[in-house]
Amino acid sequence: MAELASSALLELLADPAEPENRKVGALNVLYDRDPEPGLVPLVPSLGEADGEYPLPMLSLVVHRLGALAVPAARDWATSDSRWLASEGLTVLHAHGEEEDIPTLVAELERDWMDRTWCGPMYTARGLARFGPKAADAISLLRRFWLWTPHSYERHGYLEALAAMGAAGMAEAYTESLWDCQSEARRLGVAHAPDRPEVRDRLAYLRDDPMEDPEIKRAAAARLAGQ
């Protein structure tokens, strides 16, 4: 299949009579080539037979399309097909424009209402690209930061809140010095305000034999005034 031109691969992908395994093979070949805009209109038809998931490799090939997929992704994001809506939102996270902010905020709102804890960090990062223009997301992001059971996502919410100019960041960074996740502690070390309790905590992190070496060095540098 590697010998086929990209146009022939697209024809194969568009043919409903072609079996899924051949379509997956075509996607594998396209993944190793330059982004192919002709794939964009075919994406909604490239789900598995049960309609629950995209064909293997499709998400990776769509990711390589980047901004080329944005106009179509706006339609995909509104689809009743869960996998297609997810593909559209993933494109908008990375490449959406200012007009897509309400769509991404609405996604965060749905995730909060549904208590969907796995993944909102990526929406947060997508919104963080817009800085204060995405300030409508601040209250939701603060809720996710406070309540997510996925501690590994907290630093993503913290970074997004900072990018948007959220109030109360001094307290959030200070609290992060005690976070169980090293990425959150790293942010606290870098940005917590100069207060006695912060200096005490920095000294503890610097001297803790169990602490991550990078954080120990950062805490020492911060205390040394570097």
Side-chain angles (χ1 to χ4, degrees):
M1 194 172 290
E3 72 280 1
L4 294 178
S6 293
S7 58
L9 293 172
L10 293 175
E11 288 179 8
L12 185 158
L13 291 168
D15 186 349
E18 287 284 357
E20 286 188 2
N21 66 314
R22 279 180 52 80
K23 291 187 176 185
V24 173
L27 290 169
N28 268 290
V29 175
L30 287 173
Y31 179 71
D32 290 326
R33 297 183 180 177
D34 290 337
E36 176 50 70
L39 178 69
V40 172
L42 301 179
V43 169
S45 68
L46 297 177
E48 292 185 343
D50 61 8
E52 291 295 318
Y53 299 99
L55 290 176
M57 291 299 298
L58 179 62
S59 296
L60 293 173
V61 179
V62 169
H63 176 75
R64 297 196 67 238
L65 288 168
L68 292 171
V70 167
R74 292 177 178 133
D75 290 330
W76 303 343
T78 65
S79 173
D80 291 333
S81 167
R82 292 177 60 187
W83 74 261
L84 184 57
S86 178
E87 291 291 338
L89 290 166
T90 297
V91 170
L92 297 182
H93 292 165
H95 304 286
E97 300 169 347
E98 189 173 339
E99 68 181 271
D100 301 306
I101 291 174
T103 297
L104 298 178
V105 174
E107 180 191 5
L108 267 186
E109 181 70 46
R110 284 192 299 272
D111 285 342
W112 177 257
M113 296 299 294
D114 294 341
R115 296 301 188 262
T116 301
W117 303 115
C118 186
M121 176 179 70
Y122 300 105
T123 310
R125 287 176 171 168
L127 286 162
R129 296 188 297 113
F130 301 104
K133 293 178 180 178
D136 286 348
I138 285 175
S139 64
L140 285 163
L141 291 171
R142 197 181 302 279
R143 282 181 245 167
F144 276 106
W145 176 68
L146 287 169
W147 295 104
T148 179
H150 292 180
S151 59
Y152 62 86
E153 296 205 356
R154 272 199 298 269
H155 74 277
Y157 302 134
L158 198 63
E159 289 172 331
L161 286 166
M164 295 171 192
M169 291 307 300
E171 288 68 27
Y173 283 133
T174 299
E175 182 174 338
S176 294
L177 290 168
W178 280 264
D179 199 288
C180 67
Q181 293 292 325
S182 61
E183 282 297 304
R185 294 197 302 280
R186 178 182 58 81
L187 291 171
V189 168
H191 301 292
D194 185 17
R195 297 171 178 170
E197 68 272 21
V198 169
R199 291 192 292 274
D200 289 345
R201 182 60 179 171
L202 290 171
Y204 180 89
L205 295 173
R206 177 196 62 194
D207 299 334
D208 183 359
M210 301 298 290
E211 184 52 83
D212 182 288
E214 180 183 349
I215 292 176
K216 287 168 66 72
R217 290 191 295 270
R222 174 80 187 272
L223 287 166
Q226 297 179 15

